[in-house]
Amino acid sequence: MGRKRKPVINDNIERETIRLTKYYQMLALNRYKWENLPNGIESRYIEQMLYDNGECAMFDHPDLGLCVLRSSSRENLNIYGEPTKLSLSGFNEHRTVMMDECVRILNNDLGLPTLEHIVYYARRMAEIDDIIMQNLRQQRVPYLFATDENNALSMKTLYDRIYQGEPAIFIDKEMLKGEPENIMVIPTLAPYLVDKLQIQKQEMERELLTFLGINNTLEKKERLIVDETNSNNQFIKMASDIGFKQRQLACEQMNQMFGLNIRVIETQDE
């Protein structure tokens, strides 16, 4: 049996995927802001753990006091599928705590991380961007020149002079050998698709921003009716509330368990 062929990796797509992922990650991490947190705990710590891991937990560390670490709750479940204890991990820190000793903070109802969704959309947008660049390059060289080996260099020089915009070009009649059809130009007929691809890329971005609960603008050829605008705004609000309600619930539980006054706000509402 022959060797399996390795998948071709497009470095441009990979680099653009990483760039877009980091850009939208910064937007995602700033959707919510935590206030009145204990000393040593920053809002971005919590949001980064929820973004990467989908859940984290606050507990009272015997040496460090109140801390928030990423948590795992796939084992030790009760009859309702809820954890009875959590495995917590941080830098050089691993421990297990019972649920009555901590407060679990969820990114959403399912405890899923935001990262995988952003990578999915970033990858699709990067692929569209790569096609856009290919299509642009095709517009620069829309012709093929049919010639023989003896005239290849002359034809290249001739094309360069045309590309540079010379108003009149004089060539040696020997090139034609008495037959004008000896210079054959074949158009590649590459269609211009950049405008359509840009629209598709913008649609991908709007889907992602709506998923994140971030306001974005719907654009159509015709003017939007009020109902369409309101419907889009409702989707955005619902998406934002998915994350907000779990954060708000965690605030109530942390305040009750540890005697704090933590609150979380949606930055779009500030």
Side-chain angles (χ1 to χ4, degrees), residues 126-136 138 193-194 197:
E127 289 174 347
I128 295 173
D129 190 67
D130 187 64
I131 298 172
I132 289 174
M133 296 307 298
Q134 290 181 37
N135 189 245
L136 282 173
Q138 289 170 349
L193 302 174
V194 174
L197 291 167

Side-chain angles (χ1 to χ4, degrees), residues 207-241:
E207 284 186 23
L208 175 54
L209 294 178
T210 298
F211 165 77
L212 293 175
I214 297 175
N215 288 330
N216 57 88
T217 304
L218 276 173
E219 294 180 4
K220 291 185 179 179
K221 293 181 180 179
E222 303 172 358
R223 182 174 296 179
L224 285 169
I225 62 175
V226 174
D227 287 345
E228 288 177 306
T229 303
N230 290 339
S231 177
N232 184 61
N233 291 338
Q234 287 175 358
F235 275 118
I236 293 172
K237 180 61 177 172
M238 288 176 62
S240 180
D241 286 346

Side-chain angles (χ1 to χ4, degrees), residues 93-107:
E93 183 73 31
H94 300 277
R95 63 178 56 243
T96 300
V97 297
M98 304 302 295
M99 285 302 300
D100 59 1
E101 301 173 326
C102 66
V103 172
R104 187 177 175 216
I105 308 169
L106 296 179
N107 189 38

Side-chain angles (χ1 to χ4, degrees), residues 10-259:
N10 187 314
D11 289 338
N12 292 331
I13 292 178
E14 295 301 317
R15 284 194 296 268
E16 183 64 4
T17 299
I18 293 172
R19 187 189 72 82
L20 289 172
T21 298
K22 290 184 179 298
Y23 171 71
Y24 292 109
Q25 176 182 354
M26 290 187 287
L27 294 181
L29 294 180
N30 285 278
R31 292 177 297 160
Y32 308 102
K33 183 168 68 175
W34 299 74
E35 297 181 338
N36 306 323
L37 290 166
N39 291 336
I41 303 176
E42 293 188 18
S43 180
R44 64 186 177 92
Y45 294 166
I46 297 175
E47 288 301 320
Q48 184 68 63
M49 285 184 279
L50 296 177
Y51 176 88
D52 291 329
N53 189 59
E55 64 173 270
C56 56
M58 176 178 280
F59 72 107
D60 194 357
H61 193 284
D63 300 318
L64 304 175
L66 292 176
C67 297
V68 176
L69 296 179
R70 67 179 57 213
S71 60
S72 176
S73 54
R74 297 177 182 175
E75 300 177 355
N76 305 303
L77 306 178
N78 62 20
I79 59 173
Y80 299 108
E82 294 294 323
T84 57
K85 57 184 177 180
L86 296 177
S87 298
L88 306 182
S89 60
F91 292 100
N92 301 317
E93 183 73 31
H94 300 277
R95 63 178 56 243
T96 300
V97 297
M98 304 302 295
M99 285 302 300
D100 59 1
E101 301 173 326
C102 66
V103 172
R104 187 177 175 216
I105 308 169
L106 296 179
N107 189 38
N108 46 56
D109 290 346
L110 299 179
L112 297 175
T114 308
L115 171 63
E116 59 189 45
H117 297 281
I118 288 186
V119 170
Y120 169 76
Y121 280 102
R123 177 77 184 190
R124 292 185 66 181
M125 284 188 281
E127 289 174 347
I128 295 173
D129 190 67
D130 187 64
I131 298 172
I132 289 174
M133 296 307 298
Q134 290 181 37
N135 189 245
L136 282 173
R137 285 191 289 269
Q138 289 170 349
Q139 306 310 308
R140 295 188 62 183
V141 189
Y143 300 104
L144 299 176
F145 292 82
T147 184
D148 55 32
E149 185 177 348
N150 295 328
N151 285 335
L153 180 59
S154 298
M155 294 297 288
K156 181 180 183 306
T157 302
L158 178 61
Y159 173 76
D160 289 341
R161 294 169 65 185
I162 296 172
Y163 189 78
Q164 292 169 8
E166 289 191 30
I169 299 174
F170 302 91
I171 62 173
D172 188 343
K173 64 181 181 181
E174 291 299 323
M175 281 186 62
L176 302 179
K177 298 180 181 178
E179 301 291 339
E181 58 270 19
N182 281 345
I183 296 181
M184 185 179 297
V185 180
I186 306 171
T188 59
L189 301 177
Y192 182 80
L193 302 174
V194 174
D195 50 349
K196 296 179 181 179
L197 291 167
Q198 285 284 16
I199 292 173
Q200 182 65 24
K201 186 178 177 182
Q202 290 168 2
E203 287 298 324
M204 291 293 99
E205 181 179 57
R206 274 192 282 273
E207 284 186 23
L208 175 54
L209 294 178
T210 298
F211 165 77
L212 293 175
I214 297 175
N215 288 330
N216 57 88
T217 304
L218 276 173
E219 294 180 4
K220 291 185 179 179
K221 293 181 180 179
E222 303 172 358
R223 182 174 296 179
L224 285 169
I225 62 175
V226 174
D227 287 345
E228 288 177 306
T229 303
N230 290 339
S231 177
N232 184 61
N233 291 338
Q234 287 175 358
F235 275 118
I236 293 172
K237 180 61 177 172
M238 288 176 62
S240 180
D241 286 346
I242 288 174
F244 180 69
K245 76 171 185 177
Q246 284 297 335
R247 288 162 172 79
Q248 194 172 44
L249 176 62
C251 284
E252 295 171 1
Q253 295 174 343
M254 288 185 289
N255 292 339
Q256 181 177 3
M257 179 174 290
F258 301 112

